[in-house]
Amino acid sequence: MTSLDAYEPLVSLGTALVGGLLIGLERERAPQPTPTSSVGGIRTHALLALLGALSVSAGPSLIPWLPIVAFLGVAALVGVAYTDDVRAGRERGLTAEVSILVTFLLGILAASPAAIDPLERRVVVVAGLSVVVTFLLSAKPWLEPLLDRVSPDDVYATLKFLIVSVVVLPLLPNEEFGPLSVLNPFKIGLMVVLIAGIGFVGYVASRVLGTGRGLAVTAVVGGLVSSTAVTLSFSAHAKRDPSFSANAAIAIVIASTIMFVRILVTVLVVSPGLARSLVIPISAMALAGFIAIAVLHRRGRGAGPQESVPVDNPFELSTALRFGAVFTLVLLASKAAQVYAGTTGMYAAAALAGSTDVDAIVLSTASLANEGLPLAVGATTILIGAASNTVVKATMSATLGGRVLGVRVAAAARISSRLPDASG
């Protein structure tokens, strides 16, 4: 028996009551659907949750079907109130009515050991659900503007990719085949979902905040999706307007620094052992990037306008398939280099692959580390790929953005691309 079990059913009833109070507090502050109707406030929702918990607590010994009767009674009252508003011609949604039913069901769940056991877990689940429900009820003011920014193409592309990740991915064979027995369809698909998911975080942030919300926000969001896209966009702007070079340099270095953070998170998900070997060197590279940002900022930002980076939905199916193809080729090339050319071949492949797509070499190396690649070799391979990508972006800045931008970004790149010792 756990410590909380000794206080059952007080804990169950208290959890239900607190959850109802939390939801009711939000409903109390919410605008009324119509001037003459009520959505139920803090007392109503607290009593509903308590009613649900009491119906379960009393049910086994008194009336087994009491929870069903109580739920039908609450649903009938909600239906009568809603029908009356509809007949009176009052326009309203169903959020208030659904929140009442959800509150009652949370009360039932709080007192149902058959549904979730032990008691500690049930308390955490009910409390967490109460917080989530309260958040959803209060999120309307900022959810509606977000929906206005979402285009039909965004929804369609996201649904296509969800079909691939939720329906197609589990059906892929989880076994190695092909040259060097390194190609696993399920693992390849999983890597595609992982990297697209990280990119989607940046994409959602760009939709919520807007990519023109400021230099730092734009650069961070762009770095989550593609630091190369940030480099191309800001370099083109600096070429058109040389006074923007200082701002562009800061944005490019911010995005490149975020890339290091993204690398570490990705490796941590795929290969925790390799991530431990990378924590110090990648953190050092990221720290060097932040120092470079501070130096560039201290020298003074340009007075040019803010730049908006075009961010495509990373859940677009064609983009995901292209990355899957690139990842497969890099994985095969890395394994071949390891087998036929040893460590030197791995490093050469990393330098070449990193010049075009750092995510592919990072994921392929992490996958090989899970199959026996020495951690020191894997860490150095990823660092070489990251350094190669950084140098290429510095070259792009100088080529596409002009000498002033190129000098600033190259100076930062020299600091952040120095490879710390990854052998220890």
Side-chain angles (χ1 to χ4, degrees):
M1 176 181 292
T2 62
S3 58
L4 287 183
D5 288 331
Y7 299 97
E8 176 73 81
L10 293 178
V11 174
S12 297
L13 296 174
T15 302
L17 182 60
V18 170
L21 286 170
L22 182 62
I23 298 173
L25 178 62
E26 192 285 330
R27 292 286 83 192
E28 188 81 41
R29 306 299 301 175
Q32 300 291 331
T34 66
T36 59
S37 64
S38 173
V39 298
I42 186 170
R43 293 180 300 169
T44 302
H45 282 78
L47 290 172
L48 283 169
L50 194 58
L51 174 63
L54 287 172
S55 68
V56 173
S57 299
S61 57
L62 299 177
I63 308 175
W65 35 266
L66 182 58
I68 298 177
V69 173
F71 178 79
L72 292 177
V74 172
L77 291 175
V78 170
V80 168
Y82 185 82
T83 302
D84 181 64
D85 281 343
V86 172
R87 287 178 177 174
R90 308 184 187 105
E91 294 183 1
R92 59 178 302 175
L94 286 171
T95 303
E97 287 73 20
V98 172
S99 69
I100 288 175
L101 298 178
V102 169
T103 301
F104 179 82
L105 292 175
L106 283 175
I108 289 180
L109 183 62
S112 301
I116 302 176
D117 199 47
L119 178 59
E120 287 89 343
R121 183 181 301 173
R122 189 161 73 252
V123 169
V124 171
V125 170
V126 173
L129 286 174
S130 300
V131 171
V132 171
V133 170
T134 305
F135 170 76
L136 289 175
L137 291 172
S138 62
K140 183 178 180 179
W142 65 269
L143 278 177
E144 288 185 342
L146 175 61
L147 292 176
D148 293 337
R149 297 191 184 109
V150 176
S151 69
D153 290 338
D154 292 334
V155 176
Y156 185 51
T158 302
L159 289 176
K160 285 192 296 184
F161 196 88
L162 288 175
I163 290 175
V164 172
S165 58
V166 177
V167 179
V168 177
L169 178 61
L171 298 178
L172 294 177
N174 190 5
E175 58 184 26
E176 285 72 21
F177 72 97
L180 304 175
S181 298
V182 73
L183 302 181
N184 184 309
F186 178 80
K187 291 182 179 178
I188 292 173
L190 192 61
M191 296 303 103
V192 173
V193 171
L194 171 63
I195 204 64
I198 293 175
F200 192 66
V201 172
Y203 178 77
V204 171
S206 71
R207 286 300 195 183
V208 173
L209 301 174
T211 54
R213 272 288 183 90
L215 189 74
V217 171
T218 301
V220 169
V221 168
L224 287 173
V225 180
S226 173
S227 57
T228 302
V230 174
T231 303
L232 290 172
S233 178
F234 278 89
S235 295
H237 195 146
K239 187 70 172 179
R240 296 191 305 268
D241 181 7
S243 67
F244 188 71
S245 296
N247 276 347
I250 294 174
I252 291 171
V253 177
I254 289 175
S256 297
T257 303
I258 294 300
M259 178 195 73
F260 296 134
V261 178
R262 192 181 78 224
I263 288 173
L264 189 58
V265 172
T266 302
V267 177
L268 180 63
V269 173
V270 179
S271 179
L274 180 58
R276 286 191 290 270
S277 299
L278 279 170
V279 167
I280 293 178
I282 286 290
S283 297
M285 297 173 80
L287 178 61
F290 286 120
I291 292 174
I293 294 168
V295 172
L296 290 172
H297 188 274
R298 186 175 181 180
R299 289 180 179 176
R301 295 171 53 182
Q306 303 295 347
E307 173 78 346
S308 178
V309 180
V311 178
D312 295 328
N313 191 335
F315 275 11
E316 178 60 50
L317 185 58
S318 59
T319 303
L321 292 178
R322 281 197 302 270
F323 175 78
V326 171
F327 170 72
T328 301
L329 292 175
V330 171
L331 179 62
L332 185 59
S334 299
K335 183 64 174 182
Q338 178 192 4
V339 172
Y340 299 114
T343 302
T344 303
M346 281 286 296
Y347 296 162
L352 180 61
S355 65
T356 57
D357 191 324
V358 70
D359 291 321
I361 188 62
V362 167
L363 289 173
S364 62
T365 304
S367 297
L368 293 176
N370 290 335
E371 299 172 5
L373 179 70
L375 297 182
V377 175
T380 303
T381 299
I382 290 177
L383 292 173
I384 290 175
S388 172
N389 189 266
T390 301
V391 171
V392 167
K393 282 182 292 192
T395 304
M396 292 168 58
S397 300
T399 304
L400 303 176
R403 186 185 66 82
V404 175
L405 177 64
V407 169
R408 291 174 179 269
V409 176
R414 280 196 297 271
I415 298 174
S416 60
S417 62
R418 290 175 181 173
L419 298 182
D421 183 11
S423 61

